[in-house]
Amino acid sequence: MICEKKSKRLGIVRSLVYEMQSSFKNQKAWAHLSGVSTFASMLAMRRGQDSEIAAIAGVLHDFYFYKTGINTFPGHNSADAVRPIIRSTQIFTDEEISVILRSIFYQEDRNRVHGPDEEVIKDAILLQRYFQNTGNHLLKTDIHRLQNVFIELGIPEGNVDTELNVDVEALNRETKDRRLMLADFAEKLAEQNIIGVPEDERYREICKYWPDSDIYKVLEGNWCAAFVYYC
């Protein structure tokens, strides 16, 4: 009975995500989300964590990117984007919601160790990335993490090609450049005298990137600062 209930909750979330965004019908995108969800469920089961919650966090972890096409700060943006979705279902406790959101939020912060639920999602993403395309380049820290997961699963760590690593300094420069570009973009928007009311067409265009249906009221008068935070 417990397994049946868990299966239903995962099915509800999967259906909601698939139906809300037509872009999810792209098979590659859906394969990625489903793959991370499956790996997360498996790792959680092995580590004594809640496999259902892990699977749900996995299927939601990159929601914002597939909703908007924006791949910057995927953890932060996706956590905010899925928050109203999972709350609206009314099938999760506050603690379960917190676990799901934390797991999504910290998905890219693989240089540090967080709680066991967050670590499950981090490792599941790496497993999916590796098995979906073994030629993907990885950070050296990610290679080390993936080798540890392989050892945990009884897979020879030699299967991870240590030559497939990226230049960390170049990656850090790229991240810094993206943040500077975002700041410049926000400054240009501020100069356009966009009025934070629903009647302003440009304001409505910006608000479509927020998950909350009543965002027009929430951001009114302070939309530009909020834009920088969410993006």
Side-chain angles (χ1 to χ4, degrees):
M1 183 65 69
I2 295 177
C3 291
E4 182 180 353
K5 181 180 178 182
K6 289 186 174 183
S7 177
K8 285 184 178 180
R9 294 207 301 185
L10 176 58
I12 289 172
V13 173
R14 286 172 61 94
S15 296
L16 279 174
V17 171
Y18 192 80
E19 292 171 3
M20 287 179 64
Q21 300 300 325
S22 60
S23 60
F24 277 79
K25 295 177 182 178
N26 177 296
Q27 292 304 310
K28 184 177 180 180
W30 189 248
H32 171 74
L33 294 178
S34 297
V36 171
S37 178
T38 300
F39 279 123
S41 179
M42 180 268 293
L43 288 174
M45 188 177 296
R46 180 178 178 82
R47 297 173 182 178
Q49 304 304 121
D50 191 319
S51 61
E52 175 210 22
I53 295 299
I56 290 170
V59 85
L60 292 171
H61 83 281
D62 220 6
F63 179 82
Y64 189 78
F65 169 64
Y66 291 115
K67 176 185 177 183
T68 65
I70 297 174
N71 197 28
T72 308
F73 310 122
H76 303 70
N77 285 326
S78 289
D80 267 330
V82 305
R83 171 177 47 80
I85 297 175
I86 56 179
R87 283 182 176 171
S88 68
T89 63
Q90 298 184 338
I91 56 176
F92 299 103
T93 66
D94 289 343
E95 182 178 354
E96 289 172 331
I97 291 175
S98 178
V99 170
I100 293 170
L101 295 181
R102 287 200 315 269
S103 299
I104 296 171
F105 186 90
Y106 289 113
Q107 62 177 280
E108 292 294 307
D109 194 1
R110 292 189 292 272
N111 290 320
R112 293 187 295 174
V113 177
H114 295 88
D117 298 292
E118 293 94 314
E119 295 304 298
V120 162
I121 294 300
K122 296 178 190 179
D123 292 339
I125 292 171
L126 284 182
L127 284 172
Q128 169 64 12
R129 187 177 299 170
Y130 176 82
F131 284 105
Q132 188 175 31
N133 183 1
T134 55
N136 274 346
H137 285 71
L138 301 171
L139 292 170
K140 289 182 179 179
T141 52
D142 286 346
I143 290 176
H144 180 67
R145 176 184 282 270
L146 191 57
Q147 287 174 327
N148 287 338
V149 176
F150 274 21
I151 292 173
E152 176 186 353
L153 299 176
I155 303 172
E157 60 178 299
N159 283 280
V160 182
D161 189 350
T162 57
E163 298 300 319
L164 296 176
N165 62 79
V166 299
D167 185 340
V168 177
E169 292 185 4
L171 184 65
N172 289 337
R173 286 195 300 271
E174 181 183 348
T175 301
K176 183 179 179 181
D177 290 343
R178 287 202 306 265
R179 289 174 175 169
L180 290 174
M181 289 174 61
L182 179 61
D184 290 340
F185 186 57
E187 187 174 353
K188 290 179 181 178
L189 284 174
E191 294 172 353
Q192 293 179 24
N193 194 32
I194 299 174
I195 302 174
V197 294
E199 291 76 20
D200 190 301
E201 183 177 349
R202 291 171 298 176
Y203 174 66
R204 292 200 306 271
E205 179 68 18
I206 291 170
C207 284
K208 75 180 183 180
Y209 294 103
W210 273 264
D212 306 83
S213 58
D214 61 347
I215 196 63
Y216 298 111
K217 301 176 183 178
V218 177
L219 296 186
E220 190 167 350
N222 195 33
W223 68 269
C224 192
F227 176 83
V228 175
Y229 172 77
Y230 275 90
C231 293

